[in-house]
Amino acid sequence: MNKLLRREELRARIKSGKILIENYQNTQDVGFIKKAIAMLLFREHGLENYQPLYISSGAREILGEDAFNSLVEHLRSARSRIFPSTAGKIRKLGYDYADFVVEHVVDVSSMVNYLLDSDLDTIEDKVMYLGRNCPICIVSKPEDIKLKRHDRNNVGEPWKEYDKFGIKRTMIRGYCGPLETSQ
């Protein structure tokens, strides 16, 4: 397993993100800023690895109970990269990973827009809120096709799009890692 993000590292990322957001607010020049914030805070070794993790009923049904239990056991702990770990475990269980999608319940674009519109003094609190309240979900490919890809604008109601299509889910783990510690 790769190195886990420490609380101090998360704070440094938030501080860097704050500089990017301040630049955007002063210039209104989006340029690379949205992508930089997404990569810095949410993707790769960012918060997506520590956000609450769920699995949809469709994905669970494909796996069956034994494989589901094995996947849950594997994914329950904090880890530095959730995406390769999930794909690898699903393949080890004998399933085609192409039948599944690991996705942000609140799309990254909506989370970045939420931060860009924030008061600079509240950025750290808002990042922590997003990390703790905007889950990741493993869904089946047919369920994923139903979901809107971008600009869901559902930060306050993360499951809105899922509920719209009757996609049920089971929690694998709550938020973890650097999101657990108090500010």
Side-chain angles (χ1 to χ4, degrees), residues 2-13 40-41 45-50 78-80 176-179:
N2 295 324
K3 181 174 126 349
L4 298 177
L5 184 65
R6 292 188 333 259
R7 180 68 182 168
E8 307 82 60
E9 293 168 320
L10 175 57
R11 281 201 170 116
R13 286 175 182 235
L40 181 69
L41 295 175
H45 295 283
L47 290 182
E48 71 185 11
N49 304 296
Y50 311 104
R79 55 189 65 247
S80 64
C176 57
L179 295 170

Side-chain angles (χ1 to χ4, degrees), residues 37-84:
I37 292 170
M39 294 303 290
L40 181 69
L41 295 175
F42 300 109
R43 298 210 181 267
E44 287 301 310
H45 295 283
L47 290 182
E48 71 185 11
N49 304 296
Y50 311 104
Q51 290 171 279
L53 181 62
Y54 287 76
I55 188 167
S56 71
S57 56
R60 186 175 176 168
E61 187 176 310
I62 291 170
L63 290 171
E65 208 56 31
D66 288 343
F68 164 75
N69 289 333
S70 182
L71 181 65
V72 166
E73 185 64 32
H74 179 72
L75 295 175
R76 208 154 264 191
S77 65
R79 55 189 65 247
S80 64
R81 295 187 67 198
I82 198 75
F83 287 104

Side-chain angles (χ1 to χ4, degrees), residues 14-53:
I14 292 169
K15 188 175 181 180
S16 297
K18 189 174 180 177
I19 292 167
L20 291 169
I21 293 165
E22 183 177 28
N23 182 50
Y24 164 75
Q25 290 177 347
N26 290 335
T27 66
Q28 294 299 303
D29 180 18
V30 172
F32 80 101
I33 290 177
K34 281 188 171 188
K35 185 172 184 165
I37 292 170
M39 294 303 290
L40 181 69
L41 295 175
F42 300 109
R43 298 210 181 267
E44 287 301 310
H45 295 283
L47 290 182
E48 71 185 11
N49 304 296
Y50 311 104
Q51 290 171 279
L53 181 62

Side-chain angles (χ1 to χ4, degrees), residues 122-162:
T122 64
I123 296 299
E124 184 168 352
D125 291 338
K126 299 246 173 142
V127 169
M128 295 302 285
Y129 173 83
L130 292 172
R132 292 175 177 164
N133 297 292
C134 296
I136 304 290
C137 191
I138 303 165
V139 297
S140 68
K141 194 67 159 181
E143 289 169 324
D144 183 58
I145 290 169
K146 294 177 186 178
L147 296 168
K148 184 178 176 186
R149 289 262 179 253
H150 302 289
D151 300 320
R152 293 181 192 158
N153 299 316
N154 59 337
V155 168
E157 297 177 80
W159 296 109
K160 184 171 133 182
E161 192 74 9
Y162 282 64

